[in-house]
Structure formats: C-alpha cells, structure tokens
Amino acid sequence: MAQGLSVSDVVNVGILLSPTAVPNRNFGVLLILGSSPVIDTTERIRTYTTLTGVGQDFGTVAPEYQAAAAFFAQSPMPYQLRIGRFAQTPTSGVLRGAPFNAYQVATNLAAFQALPAASLTIPIDGAPKVLTGLAFGAAANMNGVAGVINTALGASGGCTWDGFRFAVTSKTAGTSSTVGYAVTPSGTDVALLMGLSAASNGPAPITGAASETAVQAVQVFSGLTGDFYAITFAPLSPLSDTVMLQVAATVEGISPVRVLGITTQNPATLDGTSQTDLAAIVSASGYSRTVVQYSTTNPYAICSFFGRALGVNFEGSHTVLTMKFKQEPGVIPELLSETQAGVLDSKHVNVFVSFQNGASIVQQGTVANGRFWDEVHGLDYLSYAVQNDLFNILYSSSTKIPQTEDGVHTLLTSVEATLSRSVENGLLAPGIWNQEGFCQIKRGDLLPRGFYVWAPLVATQNQADREARKAPLLQAAIKMAGAIHSVSVILAVSR
C-alpha cells in the first residue's frame, strides 16, 4: 500500500558531528622499569592503581614492588602507576594459558584429581617434551597441579599457576627459547584442561628475546606509549653510574618530553671535593630532565618523591605545588650536617632530611641543573596544553579557520584560555615583566593577568607563509608564580 511521498523531498535533515577533541597528555604517571620475569617483552607494560595489585603480580620482595610501595605510600595516594619489562638479561620463551574464572577453577581441579594418570606433550625449544604418568590426585589446588607438571618438565622448563592461569616457561633464554601449544596424545585432554592448547583461545606463545640496554628500553617505551611522564628503574641487578648517565643523556633529548628519576646511595655524593659521582656529573652536565635524590636507607626514595610531585591536577584551582617541605612516607629522613646539606644543594640533589625542630622535609625540590621541579613540570604541561588546545581548534572546527584577523583572534583566544587555566592552578601569576619586550610589552611593565599574548597583523605576513597557510607567529609573555622557600625576619626591639 502506498504511504505517500517522502518528507525528505521537502525538508532534508542531516547531522554533522564534530570530531571528538584530542585529550591532554597525562603528566602524572610514573613508569617503573624492572627486569623481574612477570611481564613478558610482548605485553611489555601493565597499569596499576593499588599496591595490592602490584603485590599480586610481583610478590612483596621484587624490586618493582619495593619501588611501587614507596610510590603508593604518598599522601594523597597517587592514582596510577605503570610497570614495564626491561629485558636486562635475555628472556625465556613462555606459554601462558587461557584465564579461568572461579567456576572453571573448581570444575577443572576436580577433573584433574579424578584422572588416574595422564600424558601431555609440550614443545620446548623446538623439541617435544613428552610427559607421562601425570597423577593429580594429591593436588589440593591448581598450584598442586602446576607442581606436578613442573616436576615432570625437569631441566626443560617450569610450570606455574598465578591465581587464574597456568604458564609454562623454558629454562633457556634468548631468541631461540620457545614454548609451543601443548597437546594431549590420548585420553582426557589435559592440555585443554590447563588452557594451554591451541583450542583454548589463550594468549599466543611468546618467544624469548635478547637482552637490551637501559637506553634501548627507554627508547622502546618512549615509542610504545606517550602515557607516562616520569621514568625510573627497579631492576634485579643495579645499574652502574655509567649506564645511568647514558640514560640521563637519552631522556634529555627524547620526545615527547620525559623526566628521569634516580636514587643515589653513594657516600661520595656528600663529598664536596668529589666531582665524579653520578649526582655531580648530571649537575655539571646541566640536565633539566633528571631528578636525583640521596637516601642511605631506601634505594627507591625517588619513587616517593614522584608519588607526591606527579599528583598535580593542572586543570584544578591552586593545585600546583613546590616539592620543598613535602613528606616521604616510608623513607627514613637523613641526619646531615650543615656542610653535607650544602654539598647536596650545590649538586642539586634532593634529600628527605631532619631539622632540629623535629620536622623532616624534602629539600630543595630541584632537577639536576638547579631549576625547581614545579617549574619544569608546570612548563612541560603548559607547552603541551597550548599545543593541544590549538590543535583541537583546527581539528574540531566544522569549517576552516580563515587566514584573517578573525581567524588569528580565534587562535589567540585559545592561547589566552589555556594560560588563564595556569593562572587558576597557580603556575602563573600577575607580576613585572623583567625580560626583553615585544610589541607593547617592555621590560618593567606589569602583566596584570599573568600573561600577554600577541600576533602581528595578517596583512604583514610574507607571501610564502600565506601561501603555505601558516598563521602569523603567536607570542606570549608569561609570568611564573614561583614559590616562597625561605623567610628572613628582623625583630626591632625597643627598651
């Protein structure tokens, strides 16, 4: 039956959705690189929101856990941490089984216990490892099942149960180290029960990898994800000062920007005549992306520093902080002489230190070249925020931004809005401009808003830039809010 003409012949309505804006980068996440054989080199990185989660994966003895404990002990507690696998030594091939839920654990365990004997074949390092006479009747849980397989594998490999799946690992390491899918020659399919067969839909087998240097690891993770800002190491074998200097030089130049955290326990750090210790060298090198902390008792003290320092929400009001005067839960304060404290200051080394009034605080809250941490952190955020906000203006506009004064005004308004947020969060503040001026700003002028933004007229733009569709150069003068770290008082007394 005819239903009449389409209304679209008269009124046609379409929907135009603007692209979703690109979110700002996260400047509050620490990446700990460790070499414990928990995360493989294919998975590479995991995210944690609690120390409990780290302990479930790594136990409470691993360096990764100890570093995470210093990080999560901070108050307020950080909300997120990343741990990455650093292949400090060659890694082993591994086959991780399909994960089991609680029902599958109970059902499969009962099936294992009911087997009088079983056989299993697992290819390890290119050769089939045939396991026979497997009896699971005495296995009280899945750890017991894994123990039976582990014993049968002998020198070829090992089998573990991590709480929700089995894993078989080769005893060799390197690129020729492999573990293939398991098969059951006959009888009950034990491979399927373990979640280790190709039909189990578990993860693909992981081939072992060659070792990598610390510098290579930093480069890998910098290319892998942009979702971390600070990086530190918690390997099974401590890294030498020479290696850490190489890492510091690398972090100084990688993009997007990162910062490196180092805890030093070298007594020479307190020696004013020593110019060859790690802290002295990175300071003399003028590195602005390395943060060093001295601690005699906690090799992961820098993680506590980052636990507080990275907690800034730049989108909030009065949220920017200075690291001086902060606490480091879990780190024992140092008892230093004035001379020793002065040496650490001269090398721009942070320390959690006791004062005669009973207080213990972090001082001075600097990076290796002497700049204050909050300035480096804040300006890294601000430069990215300006860039990203301008990108979103161009990206999300349903029409073009014209190469006119109105178009440039749109861009200037975006920059001003970003800078206004940094006034609100406490990074910028009104003050006197004490640098060379431009346009209407001269040395000695007051910046009442904390910033001044300017662009030349489009009409003055050279033809080549106009034809390349470039905007005129945008310039901004910004005044840092700074922070008060010390006070002098004169008490005038009258008798």
Side-chain angles (χ1 to χ4, degrees):
M1 179 182 293
Q3 297 181 358
L5 298 177
S6 172
V7 177
S8 296
D9 293 342
V10 180
V11 180
N12 186 31
V13 178
I15 296 176
L16 176 63
L17 291 177
S18 298
T20 302
V22 178
N24 275 332
R25 179 186 168 199
N26 195 332
F27 283 85
V29 174
L30 170 66
L31 171 64
I32 296 173
L33 292 184
S35 52
S36 297
V38 174
I39 305 172
D40 58 60
T41 53
T42 298
E43 183 183 5
R44 270 291 184 176
I45 190 168
R46 293 181 188 176
T47 300
Y48 297 92
T49 56
T50 65
L51 182 61
T52 300
V54 178
Q56 289 172 343
D57 285 357
F58 288 88
T60 58
V61 178
E64 292 90 341
Y65 179 86
Q66 300 301 320
F71 181 76
F72 279 119
Q74 265 295 352
S75 179
M77 191 176 76
Y79 78 98
Q80 198 173 84
L81 171 70
R82 307 247 196 282
I83 297 181
R85 175 66 183 274
F86 163 41
Q88 187 176 23
T89 57
T91 67
S92 299
V94 61
L95 172 66
R96 290 192 171 88
F100 293 169
N101 57 36
Y103 173 78
Q104 290 171 315
V105 169
T107 302
N108 288 16
L109 177 60
F112 277 119
Q113 293 170 333
L115 289 173
S119 300
L120 188 68
T121 300
I122 306 177
I124 298 179
D125 299 338
K129 178 65 176 179
V130 180
L131 312 180
T132 59
L134 301 173
F136 304 102
N141 49 38
M142 288 301 200
N143 283 319
V145 173
V148 171
I149 302 297
N150 187 67
T151 299
L153 287 172
S156 298
C159 181
T160 58
W161 168 260
D162 65 6
F164 67 100
R165 65 183 177 185
F166 291 101
V168 175
T169 305
S170 169
K171 289 286 181 69
T172 64
T175 55
S176 60
S177 179
T178 60
V179 178
Y181 287 117
V183 296
T184 301
S186 61
T188 303
D189 195 340
V190 181
L192 188 61
L193 275 179
M194 296 187 71
L196 295 175
S197 69
S200 301
N201 296 318
I206 304 298
T207 301
S211 63
E212 63 187 357
T213 67
V215 168
Q216 288 171 332
V218 168
Q219 292 170 332
V220 166
F221 282 95
S222 293
L224 183 66
T225 174
D227 200 18
F228 69 91
Y229 177 66
I231 187 170
T232 192
F233 283 83
L236 292 172
S237 299
L239 300 176
S240 68
D241 286 358
T242 299
V243 169
M244 291 312 300
L245 287 171
Q246 295 169 347
V247 173
T250 299
V251 172
E252 200 71 18
I254 59 177
S255 179
V257 293
R258 321 278 188 182
V259 291
L260 171 68
I262 299 174
T263 303
T264 181
Q265 298 185 295
N266 187 352
T269 310
L270 299 176
D271 184 354
T273 65
S274 172
Q275 299 302 313
T276 58
D277 59 276
L278 176 62
I281 295 174
V282 295
S283 177
S285 299
Y287 289 158
S288 64
R289 307 215 156 271
T290 299
V291 188
V292 182
Q293 175 161 347
Y294 176 77
S295 175
T296 57
T297 61
N298 193 325
Y300 310 108
I302 194 64
C303 293
S304 184
F305 182 101
F306 280 145
R308 190 69 180 95
L310 297 175
V312 175
N313 184 343
F314 288 104
E315 303 303 314
S317 176
H318 301 290
T319 52
V320 175
L321 52 83
T322 175
M323 277 306 293
K324 185 165 182 176
F325 308 112
K326 299 302 179 289
Q327 300 299 298
E328 288 191 341
V331 178
I332 298 175
E334 302 293 325
L335 291 173
L336 302 177
S337 68
E338 293 293 335
T339 299
Q340 291 172 327
V343 171
L344 292 182
D345 285 352
S346 70
K347 296 179 181 180
H348 308 306
V349 177
N350 301 288
V351 62
F352 185 52
V353 64
S354 293
F355 278 73
Q356 292 177 354
N357 63 0
S360 297
I361 65 170
V362 172
Q363 68 169 27
Q364 301 288 340
T366 63
V367 299
N369 70 351
R371 291 177 61 193
F372 288 105
W373 159 265
D374 53 293
E375 178 181 293
V376 174
H377 190 205
L379 290 178
D380 280 349
Y381 154 80
L382 184 56
S383 62
Y384 182 87
V386 168
Q387 178 190 61
N388 199 52
D389 288 350
L390 284 172
F391 178 86
N392 279 328
I393 289 291
L394 301 173
Y395 172 65
S396 61
S397 177
S398 58
T399 61
K400 68 180 181 181
I401 304 298
Q403 207 168 6
T404 63
E405 296 305 328
D406 284 345
V408 174
H409 177 72
T410 298
L411 303 181
L412 290 174
T413 300
S414 171
V415 176
E416 289 181 345
T418 307
L419 296 179
S420 292
R421 293 204 306 271
S422 285
V423 173
E424 181 66 22
N425 65 34
L427 180 64
L428 308 181
I432 301 299
W433 181 249
N434 52 23
Q435 303 294 323
E436 292 297 324
F438 57 89
C439 189
Q440 299 178 6
I441 292 294
K442 302 183 297 296
R443 187 189 297 271
D445 284 352
L446 174 67
L447 296 181
R449 301 170 64 191
F451 60 86
Y452 168 76
V453 180
W454 174 81
L457 295 174
V458 174
T460 64
Q461 190 177 26
N462 71 62
Q463 189 63 24
D465 284 349
R466 180 166 181 80
E467 292 175 356
R469 296 197 166 188
K470 295 181 180 178
L473 176 66
L474 309 185
Q475 290 181 265
I478 60 175
K479 184 69 178 179
M480 301 294 291
I484 295 175
H485 279 190
S486 61
V487 181
S488 296
V489 179
I490 296 177
L491 301 178
V493 180
S494 176
R495 293 186 178 89

